[in-house]
């Protein structure tokens, strides 16, 4: 939050202490089959006491490598080539293994991306925690260490620390695991905390809780932090200063608000253009993707690494030598690695992005009424069979009802376990519905698995998948993969014309025609996802389901693929069903939004209706949880307590009642809430009267002076 | 990470020709050079393949020709001239040129020639039996892993029962029941190894069936057969090739053991296991006639195991 | 736990039935040759027919099968046609001999292979790792009969240090055990060592080991407390199942060194179509197989807290 910046800044200015961490001219390389690959080049950074510094960048920019180097833990093939790392004035490069050991875990501690993997699966959490004081403090007994660990679990706000101490990691949820890891890092009261994407693997409402905890830590303990993330919004929420990295180098560094209000490096500017912040709109203010793609470490250009993708590139200036960091503002310690930062006229620079005419929604294409999908779970134990309770049901989808129209983009939003993927499976015919209707183009598909659907029906209902590394068969060429679709749907059989169609499709997704003989491993993530789009649209479908199509991609690639998807949708007049957990993207491109929680629809309506009051309390919490990379946005903070109930044993009443901050009483637990229609098309499933919900202040407010 | 391209943006209209699949696989084999263990392994295996192919040229004697005076002769020994012995034509006389480099066996046959011809037998039956086991195992594994449900239950249970029984006992019983013939040995190996292969294939399929490209194939209504054999199987080939090398070595050992126990291919066959069995009685007095076949079989198995290690190493590098 | 064991017992009975049916069907092929084997090669057709009739082999196969089951349940394993003695008289002695052999093999092989595997996997790619890996590839590549021949050639033929055969009946002689045990250890150790190495190397790469190191724990603690238990999970099952492998492994070794054990007995029974004896041996094998599997599963759940009994 913006307010945070002031008190923390006070702390640093009041005590202009020496930096805790001082990195100078660091060069790191990895050694592989292909030879030496420079991972981090000319990296310098100071972290002062109590300061939180963000390290932000896209995948492969070297940000995690920096963290590992600070720990002096580079793995077998990584090496520090030159430069210095000083911790509290002591040179870490010359430390012995034993000195490093004493530093690790006590003075410098780390929090990792995957909490489940970071904890030892076969050791009790209590033992894993108590180890830290045992090995870093002399004269502490095991019961004392255990007691300290238990206290710390309380400090990171874990409910029932005693039970958690006795549990194994797999017995607690992902958010709780991350709290355990944070507790482990804090146990020895470190001076420096390294956080490597600590919330990336978590759901957004869980993330909000962890972020708040991290913010509190820096205030309560005065710990310095190095926060590594790909998400600028998160960095804005947590840090005082930020380093933007690109292709192994720091592109720009400054105090946090300065970066957001006055970015000087073209890459930083470009990055902001790619992020779907509340001010962006797919028709009036579309995203402006950065052209080209990230250079591979061994194919970096001479001069500025960003040169080939930069609109302000000037031959003779930007294309030779190592570009040094230049100071933009000494007071704010604002520096940028650009030779032309003061020449570029940002006020008169606009990336040409054509505003797209808004599309009129057509007739109803998909109509879902009261659809249910239950999975039976058989309990074969003797007692269950005798008591007659041998079959229980996972209610993956409970009474879904909504519709989608031609040319419309309908987004289904929800966190993991909300049943959105199950719904996609039923729609695609990989599963059949337990109950209800699912009418597509006038045909009821609820009980028709894909084998029983007509070819025409299959062709007009296609899917774009989530994981770019998984979406294409690694042993087929691009041409074979797309060609198979064309032949399968009997659009064309003549090999020559099939190839021509494949080439046309490659043109459509803006990939070079030579890609037809490429295999997936020769493509980047964004390129694979484009092929996935081409494959889905090969049969000119009436409706495409996109299951988190861009969530695994970097921000700049995300913007490009999103734009492409919408262009093709407009051209083909397709209905797009967009499944996502990312509210930013959803707000940007959806016409209608369906919010799901634990298998049920909590709220649905047009995007404007859902994103402004009256909200369902869950929607409200969800909106508040999403970090926004925009200093002009003011956000209400709502942190959800508790964890997601088990799908096997959901609450009898409202599924959200266990975590709802606006719960009104027993009625929420016992009685399923009514589906209230606020205005035609906008429905909220809640016990709270609509009028009361209308009075809720909006979660997001954009400051007028922006 | 090694070969992601950075093509320039605009669509170029030149389409490079696709590489022929055969050329691709030859290039893939070339990768083994990156692992010295694998290279040595491949070398040993190729050595024996060449020996087997050129056996008639390389072997100094007919593998079944008995020269009495050289009975149990030690390595590098020659017959003294003028000794008489029986052969196909009747009584023959040595002229001193009869030399057995690796000595003679209990029947006065040339150990070297028998080993050379034995390579033919081993390198024919071991791959044949392994291939049969793979055909059955892959089919079972694909069905069990992709179809799941009762098919999986039944196939896995059958596999467990066969696997829980000592393999060699199984061989012994099957072969004593039906007699030691080429076909029965191949069948016995198939029967006993198919469940193990099924387990591996099933495990791989369980992983691969959840990939999005399989989902894509399902959502466009492809048949199960197409998905199993075109979408899934080719992507399981890496671990399967490594396993096949190991299993080929194991089958080679099995054939040897069967021969050694007197249950192998019928006697005149110079299979290495047979050579050892035939000369077992003299193992403590003139060990060369058993020692050299042992070295032969061990080296072939070693070659296959090293090749498997090398392949695994190379495949992990990518 | 009780349910789990009951399930396993049921599974064992099922397997025993399946195996015994399979065996009796397979052995039926050779029943006709039995009289010749028992009475000698020069008997007449009438004598053979009479023998078969007298021994009850002319009754339908299912009658004989159920009779066998009945006998089994009352503790009677039948009579060996080969040794002309009750099966139980021979079986337990032989099993005991093999037990002694197996004990020594395990006592040497398990610590050796685990130790080398751990050393090897701790620092993947080190000189130590490469030497141990190479050693284990070589030893697993040499079949038992081949290493039996090699070792005999060296220690019996060339050096004359040891005796080549193990006499039965006479007093137990420790030196006679050396060769059979070495052969089995050599062949078996590489497999476990490789497994242990792979498992250890994988664990050492895992994020929780990184966590442990970056917690500032001493290397010893990282290895002993964090890596070892997780790394033992996969090889543990393999080691227990090696008991099962040993049953077939000993056949070759016992045959080669004329050791009077279970394996040699089984081989002899099979070669002589000694139906009752084979069946008894097979049942022992199934009990051992399912028993080891059960021990492996229980141990696995102990080592790996993520698994629960079902």
């Amino acid at each position: 939050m913006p307010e945070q910046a002031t008190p923390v800044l006070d702390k640093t200015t009041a005590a202009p202490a020496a930096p805790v961490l001082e990195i100078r001219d660091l060069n790191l390389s990895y050694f592989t089959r292909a030879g030496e690959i420079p991972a981090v080049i000319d990296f310098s950074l100071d972290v002062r006491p109590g300061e939180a510094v963000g390290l932000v960048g896209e995948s492969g920019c070297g940000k995690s490598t920096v963290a590992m180097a600070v720990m002096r833990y580079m793995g077998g093939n990584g090496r520090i080539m030159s430069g210095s790392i000083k911790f509290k004035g002591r040179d870490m490069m010359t430390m012995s293994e034993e000195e490093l050991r004493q530093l690790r875990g006590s003075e410098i501690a780390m929090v990792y991306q995957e909490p489940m993997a970071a904890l030892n699966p076969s050791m009790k959490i209590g033992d894993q925690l108590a180890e830290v004081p045992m090995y870093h403090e002399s004269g502490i007994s095991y019961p004392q260490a255990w007691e300290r660990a238990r206290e710390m679990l309380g400090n990171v706000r874990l409910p029932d620390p005693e039970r958690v101490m006795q549990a194994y990691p797999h017995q607690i949820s992902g958010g709780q695991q991350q709290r355990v890891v944070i507790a482990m890092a804090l146990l020895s009261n470190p001076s420096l905390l390294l956080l490597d994407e600590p919330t990336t693997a978590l759901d957004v409402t869980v993330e909000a809780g962890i972020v708040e905890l991290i913010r509190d830590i820096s205030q309560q303990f005065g710990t310095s932090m190095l926060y590594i993330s790909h998400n600028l919004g998160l960095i804005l929420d947590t840090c005082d200063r930020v380093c933007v990295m690109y292709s192994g180098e720091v592109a720009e560094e400054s105090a946090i608000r300065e970066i957001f209000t006055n970015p000087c490096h073209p890459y930083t500017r470009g990055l902001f253009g790619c992020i779907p912040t509340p001010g962006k709109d797919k028709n009036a203010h579309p995203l402006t993707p950065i052209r080209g793609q990230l250079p591979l470490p061994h194919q970096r250009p001479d001069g500025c690494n960003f040169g080939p993708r930069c609109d302000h590139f000037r031959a003779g200036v930007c294309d030779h030598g190592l570009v040094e960091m230049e100071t933009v503002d000494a007071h704010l310690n604002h520096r940028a690695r650009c030779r032309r930062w003061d020449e570029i006229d940002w006020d008169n620079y606009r990336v040409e992005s054509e505003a797209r005419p808004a599309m009129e929604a057509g007739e109803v294409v998909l109509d879902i009424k009261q659809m249910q999908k239950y999975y039976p779970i058989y309990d074969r134990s003797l007692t269950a069979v005798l008591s007659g309770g041998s079959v229980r049901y996972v209610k993956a989808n409970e009474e879904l009802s909504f519709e989608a129209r031609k040319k419309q983009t309908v987004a289904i939003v929800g966190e993991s376990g909300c049943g959105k993927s199950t719904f996609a499976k039923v729609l695609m015919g990989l599963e059949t519905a337990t109950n209800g209707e699912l009418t597509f183009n006038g045909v009821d598909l609820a009980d028709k698995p894909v084998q029983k659907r007509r070819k025409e029906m299959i062709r007009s209902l296609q899917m774009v998948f989530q994981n770019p590394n998984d979406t294409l068969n690694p042993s087929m060429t691009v041409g074979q993969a797309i060609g198979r679709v064309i032949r399968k749907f009997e659009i064309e059989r003549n090999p020559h014309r099939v190839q021509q169609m494949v080439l046309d499709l490659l043109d459509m997704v803006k990939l070079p025609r030579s890609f037809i003989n490429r295999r997936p491993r020769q493509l980047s993530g964004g390129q694979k996802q484009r092929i996935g789009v081409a494959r889905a649209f090969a049969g000119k479908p009436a409706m495409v389901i996109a299951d988190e199509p861009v969530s695994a991609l970097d921000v700049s690639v995300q913007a490009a693929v999103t734009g492409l998807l919408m262009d093709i949708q407009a051209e083909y007049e397709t209905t797009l069903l967009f499944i996502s957990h990312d509210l930013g993207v959803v707000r940007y491109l959806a016409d209608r939004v369906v919010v799901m929680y634990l298998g049920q629809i909590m709220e649905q309506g047009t995007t404007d209706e859902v994103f402004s009051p009256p909200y369902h309390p869950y929607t409200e919490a969800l909106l508040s949880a999403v970090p926004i990379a925009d200093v002009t946005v003011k956000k209400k903070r709502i942190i959800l307590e508790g964890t997601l109930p088990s799908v096997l044993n959901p609450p009898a009443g409202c599924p959200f009642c266990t975590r709802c901050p606006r719960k009104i009483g027993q009625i929420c637990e016992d009685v399923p809430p009514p589906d209230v229609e606020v205005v035609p098309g906008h429905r909220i499933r809640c016990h709270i009267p609509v009028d009361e919900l209308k009075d809720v202040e909006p979660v997001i407010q954009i400051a007028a002076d922006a | 990470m090694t070969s992601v391209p950075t093509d320039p943006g605009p669509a170029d209209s030149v389409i490079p020709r696709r590489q022929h699949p055969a050329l691709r696989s030859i290039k893939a084999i070339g990768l083994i050079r990156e692992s010295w263990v694998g290279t040595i392994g491949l070398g040993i295996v190729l050595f024996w393949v060449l020996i087997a192919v050129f056996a008639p040229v390389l072997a100094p004697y007919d593998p079944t020709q008995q020269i009495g005076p050289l009975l149990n002769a030690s390595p590098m020994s020659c017959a003294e001239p003028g000794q008489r012995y029986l052969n196909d034509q009747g009584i023959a006389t040595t002229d001193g040129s009869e030399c057995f480099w690796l000595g003679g066996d209990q029947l006065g046959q040339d150990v070297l020639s028998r080993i050379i011809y034995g390579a033919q037998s081993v390198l024919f039956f071991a791959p044949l039996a392994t291939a049969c086991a793979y055909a059955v195992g892959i089919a079972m594994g694909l069905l069990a892993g992709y179809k799941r449900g009762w098919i999986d239950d039944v196939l896995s249970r059958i596999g467990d029962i066969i696997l829980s029984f000592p393999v060699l006992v199984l061989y012994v019983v099957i072969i004593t029941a039906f007699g030691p013939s080429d076909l029965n040995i191949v069948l016995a190996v198939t029967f006993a190894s198919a469940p193990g292969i099924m387990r591996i294939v099933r495990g791989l399929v369980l992983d691969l069936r959840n990939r999005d490209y399989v989902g894509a194939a399902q959502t466009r209504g492809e048949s199960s057969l197409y998905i199993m054999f075109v979408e899934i199987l080719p992507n399981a080939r890496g671990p399967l090739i490594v396993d096949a090398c190991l299993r080929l070595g194991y089958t080679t050992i099995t054939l040897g053991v069967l021969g050694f126990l007197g249950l192998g291919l019928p006697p005149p066959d110079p299979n290495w296991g047979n050579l050892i069995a035939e000369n077992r009685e003299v193992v403590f007095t003139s060990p060369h006639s058993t020692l050299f076949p042992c070295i032969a079989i061990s080296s072939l198995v070693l070659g296959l195991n090293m090749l498997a290690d090398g392949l695994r190493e190379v495949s992990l590098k990518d | 736990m009780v349910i789990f064991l009951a399930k396993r017992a049921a599974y064992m009975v099922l397997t025993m039935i399946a195996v015994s049916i399979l065996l009796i069907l397979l052995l039926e092929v050779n029943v006709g040759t039995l009289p010749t084997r028992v009475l000698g090669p020069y008997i007449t057709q009438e004598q053979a027919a009479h023998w078969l009739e007298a021994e009850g082999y002319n009754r339908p196969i299912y009658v004989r099968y159920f009779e066998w089951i009945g006998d089994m349940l009352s503790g009677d394993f039948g009579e060996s046609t080969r040794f002309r003695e009750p099966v139980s008289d021979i079986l337990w002695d032989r099993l005991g001999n093999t037990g002694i052999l197996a004990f020594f093999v395990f006592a040497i092989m398990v610590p050796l292979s685990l130790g080398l595997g751990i050393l090897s996997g701790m620092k993947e790619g080190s000189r130590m790792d490469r030497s141990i890996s190479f050693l284990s590839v070589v030893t697993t590549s040499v079949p038992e009969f081949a290493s039996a021949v090699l070792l005999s050639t060296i220690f019996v033929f060339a050096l004359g240090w040891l005796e080549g055969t193990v006499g039965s009946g006479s007093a137990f002689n420790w030196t006679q055990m050396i060769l059979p045990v070495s052969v089995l250890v050599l062949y078996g150790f590489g497999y476990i060592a490789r497994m242990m190495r792979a498992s250890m190397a994988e664990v050492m790469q895992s994020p929780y080991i990184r966590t442990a190191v970056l917690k500032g724990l001493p290397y010893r603690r990282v290895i002993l407390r964090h890596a070892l238990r997780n790394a033992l999970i996969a090889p543990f099952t393999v080691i227990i199942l090696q008991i099962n492998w040993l049953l077939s492994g000993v056949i070759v070794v016992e045959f080669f060194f004329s050791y009077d054990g279970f394996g040699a007995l089984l081989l002899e029974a099979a070669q002589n179509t000694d139906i009752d004896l084979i069946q008894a041996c097979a049942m022992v094998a199934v009990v051992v197989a399912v028993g080891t599997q059960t021990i492996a599963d229980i141990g696995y759940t102990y080592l790996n807290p993520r698994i629960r009994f079902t």
Side-chain angles (χ1 to χ4, degrees), chain A residues 512-561:
Chain A
R513 293 187 156 201
S514 60
F515 275 27
I516 192 166
N517 288 330
R518 288 265 174 99
R519 274 165 212 274
R521 68 185 155 82
Q522 297 168 299
L523 304 175
S524 71
Q527 289 165 341
K528 283 184 227 178
Q529 217 51 339
R530 283 168 191 256
I531 303 288
V533 171
R535 180 178 60 189
F537 281 91
K540 296 197 169 54
M543 177 156 152
V544 167
I545 299 160
D547 186 0
E548 308 255 12
V550 295
S551 62
L553 304 175
D554 275 321
V555 194
S556 64
V557 184
Q558 227 174 43
V561 174

Side-chain angles (χ1 to χ4, degrees), chain A residues 33 293 296 428 430 458 465 467 470-475 484 488-489 512-513 516-519 522, chain B residues 4-7 12 15-16 18 24 34 211-213 216 218-222 226 230-231 234-235 318:
Chain A
R33 228 188 337 197
Q293 54 173 326
L296 287 173
M428 299 306 297
L430 301 182
I458 297 173
F465 293 86
N467 187 342
D470 242 24
T471 190
L472 300 176
N473 188 332
S475 50
R484 174 74 194 178
K488 178 75 190 171
F489 293 145
R513 293 187 156 201
I516 192 166
N517 288 330
R518 288 265 174 99
R519 274 165 212 274
Q522 297 168 299
Chain B
V4 180
T6 47
D7 266 56
D12 46 331
I15 298 161
R18 212 170 88 217
R24 276 171 42 87
E34 291 183 13
R211 300 290 167 95
D212 283 348
Y213 55 82
Q218 288 169 333
T219 56
R220 61 171 189 263
E222 300 283 6
Y226 175 88
V230 182
E231 298 281 350
N235 296 309
D318 264 339

